[in-house]
Amino acid sequence: MLLSKSETDLLISEISRELGAKRDGGNKNLVATCPFCGKAGKFGVYIGKETERKKPFMSHCFSCGGATYTLDQLLSTIGRPDLGVTQTADLKAPLEPSLLFPLETEEEIDDTLGIVELPDFYKRCFSHSYLKGRGFVYDDYEYFPVGTTGRLNFKFNDYVLFPVIDEGDIVGYVARHVMAKSEIEAHNRKAKFQGKYPIMRFRNSTENDFIKLLYNYDAVLPDETDTVIIVEGIFDVIALTRKLELYDNTRLAVVATFGKKISQTQIFKLQRKGVETVVIGYDGDAVEAIKKMATELSPYFEVFIADITDSEKDWEDLSYDEIYTVFAYGLKTPIEYKINKI
Ligand SMILES: [Zn+2]
């Protein structure tokens, strides 16, 4: 159920009165005496914005563990089922996700994620010769945690590992071998004949499907970041953030979809944080993928395409001036893009 602001405000004030609750410092919880066990100051009712794991009006007692998960459960627990909100059309209310995603099958968007452990002996680093070679500067290590397992975990010898973070939790990692793609390919061609093991360019986590993840998702701030640039991979996110100096820009963020396509779950994750405009920043060679994605995104966002005209290049290869030109003069609407790119 999605509530309008006036409904939410009314519920918060009624629930506060019923429980004799106070707001916590961050204004995200009501703190009250527990209706289950009677302990004072241990019962929290979440009243912040909806997040990955928290829904408004979820409640929990830190003393007895009593909890409610829906508004209706909470209202009946505190003896005020009369406050239950009957759904009426409210034109000012934000749209419910089910209205935004009219899936014929009524299948739910599964955005649940498990927390993932980084490989044994993972240690964050702030300097690395491979990353230096790819242009990393101090801020990159600071804003985009990366590490290695040293020589202690042979499976990840010669890999750099990027945790994928979502609402502060580690939900995956990308491990990239430190050899260039062409070197790896050359090595693997030889290895095949010599009966040696091939080198895997990536050894990523497998617990959560990457179609449910976005790299740099936490840089998208709810109802503050209105524009998101969508790129293919981690190195694109970091290169664009560095070259456009977006580290502390809260209105504009860069996220990666881990490939040349976007899933309904990834769209939902951006929609839910209030993103209004998206700029597709896939590599210049991804013309068909970009056209398809522009069509998929158009019902939900204002869509632009940052057209890298040189199909050989990605964001890491482009200079600041080239990137500036793309964003200042080269943004195309989906229709312009489809007409111009054959
Ligand atoms: Zn309790």
Side-chain angles (χ1 to χ4, degrees):
M1 170 169 25
L2 218 89
L3 301 166
S4 69
K5 182 159 188 329
S6 59
E7 286 170 333
T8 305
D9 291 346
L10 177 71
L11 280 165
I12 290 171
S13 77
E14 286 295 313
I15 292 166
S16 303
R17 207 154 51 122
E18 199 63 46
L19 286 167
K22 291 199 182 84
R23 284 172 187 248
D24 70 355
N27 236 351
K28 293 224 168 114
N29 296 282
L30 299 173
V31 183
T33 299
C34 176
F36 298 106
C37 70
K39 268 264 171 67
K42 294 291 181 192
F43 187 69
V45 178
Y46 183 70
I47 56 167
K49 286 194 180 112
E50 180 160 336
T51 71
E52 212 70 25
R53 280 168 255 296
K54 291 186 176 174
K55 307 263 178 291
F57 301 110
M58 280 174 71
S59 74
H60 175 77
C61 172
F62 288 93
S63 180
C64 70
T68 64
Y69 301 97
T70 65
L71 175 60
D72 286 341
Q73 286 173 357
L74 174 67
L75 293 176
S76 77
T77 300
I78 65 172
R80 291 296 305 274
D82 59 296
L83 290 173
V85 180
T86 43
Q87 287 290 54
T88 50
D90 178 350
L91 293 178
K92 277 185 288 183
L95 283 172
E96 200 170 343
S98 63
L99 296 174
L100 293 167
F101 297 92
L103 303 172
E104 298 87 39
T105 54
E106 289 217 331
E107 66 182 286
E108 289 208 0
I109 291 173
D110 178 14
D111 60 342
T112 53
L113 295 172
I115 292 180
V116 170
E117 295 240 1
L118 293 172
D120 287 344
F121 304 107
Y122 170 86
K123 193 165 180 285
R124 195 170 163 183
C125 66
F126 291 86
S127 156
H128 192 284
S129 56
Y130 168 72
L131 298 173
K132 193 175 175 199
R134 292 190 76 156
F136 272 51
V137 298
Y138 183 78
D139 276 341
D140 297 335
Y141 297 99
E142 197 64 33
Y143 284 78
F144 302 101
V146 60
T148 68
T149 58
R151 310 301 293 180
L152 296 164
N153 183 341
F154 79 96
K155 191 177 162 193
F156 292 98
N157 275 358
D158 303 316
Y159 285 84
V160 288
L161 293 95
F162 292 89
V164 179
I165 299 165
D166 193 308
E167 305 290 342
D169 293 326
I170 295 168
V171 294
Y173 58 84
V174 167
R176 169 65 159 88
H177 198 277
V178 299
M179 251 186 211
K181 189 180 175 192
S182 55
E183 285 177 64
I184 293 174
E185 284 164 356
H187 170 97
N188 289 350
R189 276 194 298 274
K190 261 194 278 168
K192 208 173 164 185
F193 292 107
Q194 298 167 342
K196 289 184 185 159
Y197 286 112
I199 291 174
M200 288 165 72
R201 190 150 63 102
F202 292 98
R203 272 186 187 271
N204 302 342
S205 59
T206 52
E207 289 90 336
N208 292 315
D209 192 330
F210 274 79
I211 68 165
K212 296 204 276 184
L213 309 182
L214 288 167
Y215 184 71
N216 203 31
Y217 184 51
D218 285 3
V220 182
L221 303 180
D223 300 324
E224 189 168 338
T225 306
D226 50 46
T227 302
V228 166
I229 303 170
I230 302 172
V231 297
E232 293 176 26
I234 289 179
F235 287 100
D236 297 313
V237 169
I238 300 172
L240 256 190
T241 301
R242 178 193 320 124
K243 292 178 183 185
L244 294 176
E245 288 208 43
L246 297 174
Y247 300 107
D248 293 315
N249 192 321
T250 59
R251 302 287 305 280
L252 175 61
V254 191
V255 303
T257 51
F258 305 105
K260 295 182 203 297
K261 56 180 194 282
I262 193 160
S263 70
Q264 286 293 304
T265 306
Q266 289 166 329
I267 292 174
F268 176 59
K269 287 165 81 82
L270 294 174
Q271 173 92 47
R272 146 158 75 207
K273 286 195 177 176
V275 173
E276 286 164 10
T277 303
V278 295
V279 180
I280 304 172
Y282 284 178
D283 295 354
D285 63 359
V287 175
E288 285 315 308
I290 291 170
K291 287 180 181 174
K292 184 165 181 284
M293 183 161 165
T295 305
E296 287 167 349
L297 290 169
S298 290
Y300 312 110
F301 309 100
E302 183 101 44
V303 180
F304 294 97
I305 294 127
D307 186 14
I308 305 177
T309 43
D310 185 342
S311 66
E312 301 286 293
K313 288 189 171 174
D314 60 27
W315 298 113
E316 279 190 274
D317 307 320
L318 298 177
S319 68
Y320 170 80
D321 285 342
E322 289 171 312
I323 292 175
Y324 181 83
T325 306
V326 169
F327 281 92
Y329 310 108
L331 288 188
K332 296 195 165 75
T333 65
I335 289 174
E336 287 170 333
Y337 187 82
K338 284 173 195 174
I339 290 172
N340 286 305
K341 293 275 177 173
I342 299 148

